[in-house]
Amino acid sequence: MYPLLDPSRFTVFITGATSGFGEAAARRYVAAGGKVIATGRREDRLEALRDELGAEHCHIIALDVRDRAAMEAAIAAIPAPFDQINVVLANAGLALGLQPAAETDLNDWETMIDTNIKGLVYTVRLLLPGLIARGGGHVVTLGSVAGEYAYPGGSVYGATKAFVKQFALNLRSDLQGKKVRVTNIEPGLTETEFSLVRFKGDEGKASAPYARTEAMNAEDIAESIFWATSLPAHVNINKIEMMATTQAIGPFDIYREG
């Protein structure tokens, strides 16, 4: 049998654990015997997750990754044994709106930048020294196929995910010799609350991308994250780009007058 790492030794810090990929990942790691620190803005959902998984396996912290001071305080106050973090899942992120760039709400752009970029770098920067001091670990970032391929209305969202991709690659260079692995996960069409958030609660618009097709689900992404972190410590998966079988790269868009 291929010698995978023992997941019961994982202590995983997860941002955005109140739904979607983060919530599914928390369940996956605990099911394998690991411990998780589940963070997010919706305390009621975190409490429900802790009740489901058990307080001995799941420690919760209600916070907003955009709040640097709150992040610093929360990480400094993590109790034993949850403070022995060796996997960081920087998952928190969102898309807002799908309007053309000249028509979008600047507040939406700022929220995406603050969450997808600033929240990400706060998470990674604050937790990296601990990983290094404890002899290694794994940082998993959540990008998107939108960081690889352009589509109408995805201007700033796609740009934030392109940042995530490059940030992860640069981390790999900075962490050479530190025994800290870095993997960027780039999902495509996945049915979670993503579209409901993007369209600000409009269920009709939110369901349209998934109509008459079979999208991936949160558990598919969580399994990929789990797999990448479970590989032997000498193996680093730089990125996983994944799409539903029913999704593919579209043709070039050529504008024609008349």
Side-chain angles (χ1 to χ4, degrees):
M1 180 180 291
Y2 196 63
L4 300 178
L5 296 179
D6 179 3
S8 67
R9 300 179 65 183
F10 290 160
T11 301
V12 189
F13 186 97
I14 304 174
T15 62
T18 57
S19 66
F21 306 155
E23 184 179 44
R27 292 192 177 103
R28 182 65 181 91
Y29 280 105
V30 169
K35 294 181 175 63
V36 300
I37 302 99
T39 76
R41 292 180 297 161
R42 293 173 285 189
E43 190 167 10
D44 57 333
R45 292 197 178 191
L46 291 174
E47 290 173 347
L49 185 63
R50 179 189 58 198
D51 292 345
E52 173 193 337
L53 300 179
E56 70 275 23
H57 304 296
C58 178
H59 177 69
I60 62 172
I61 307 174
L63 56 77
D64 188 333
V65 295
R66 297 174 295 180
D67 186 336
R68 176 178 165 183
M71 288 285 289
E72 291 172 336
I75 290 169
I78 295 172
F82 292 96
D83 58 344
Q84 299 302 299
I85 297 162
N86 50 23
V87 178
V88 175
L89 174 51
N91 165 72
L94 78 169
L96 291 173
L98 200 59
Q99 301 93 339
E103 301 171 18
T104 195
D105 185 339
L106 269 175
N107 292 321
D108 288 347
W109 278 7
E110 286 188 334
T111 299
M112 286 186 281
I113 292 167
D114 288 346
T115 306
N116 300 357
I117 296 179
K118 293 170 69 175
L120 166 74
V121 300
Y122 295 161
T123 302
V124 174
R125 175 61 183 83
L126 292 171
L127 290 165
L128 263 183
L131 295 185
I132 295 169
R134 287 186 288 275
H138 204 137
V139 174
V140 181
T141 57
L142 250 297
S144 167
V145 294
E148 300 280 356
Y149 312 106
Y151 62 84
S155 52
V156 165
Y157 174 70
T160 64
K161 293 305 182 178
F163 175 92
V164 175
K165 173 183 69 174
Q166 195 61 39
F167 181 62
L169 290 173
N170 288 347
L171 280 177
R172 286 276 290 126
S173 295
D174 281 350
L175 292 168
Q176 186 71 301
K178 304 296 185 183
K179 298 183 180 180
V180 177
R181 301 185 291 175
V182 183
T183 301
N184 188 38
I185 308 292
E186 300 183 349
L189 187 69
T190 311
E191 189 165 6
T192 62
E193 292 183 2
F194 176 84
S195 281
L196 195 63
V197 172
R198 163 168 263 174
F199 295 112
K200 302 179 180 179
D202 188 322
E203 294 185 359
K205 288 183 178 179
S207 63
Y210 313 113
R212 302 185 308 281
T213 192
E214 185 176 3
M216 296 185 293
N217 56 50
E219 288 71 29
D220 297 326
I221 311 307
E223 192 62 35
S224 298
I225 294 166
F226 182 82
W227 171 78
T229 57
S230 299
L231 290 173
H234 69 278
V235 180
N236 189 96
I237 302 298
N238 292 337
K239 76 170 183 177
I240 300 176
E241 180 187 311
M242 52 197 300
M243 289 183 171
T245 305
T246 53
Q247 183 182 27
I249 311 304
F252 287 114
D253 183 20
I254 301 173
Y255 176 71
R256 304 181 192 281
E257 294 185 355

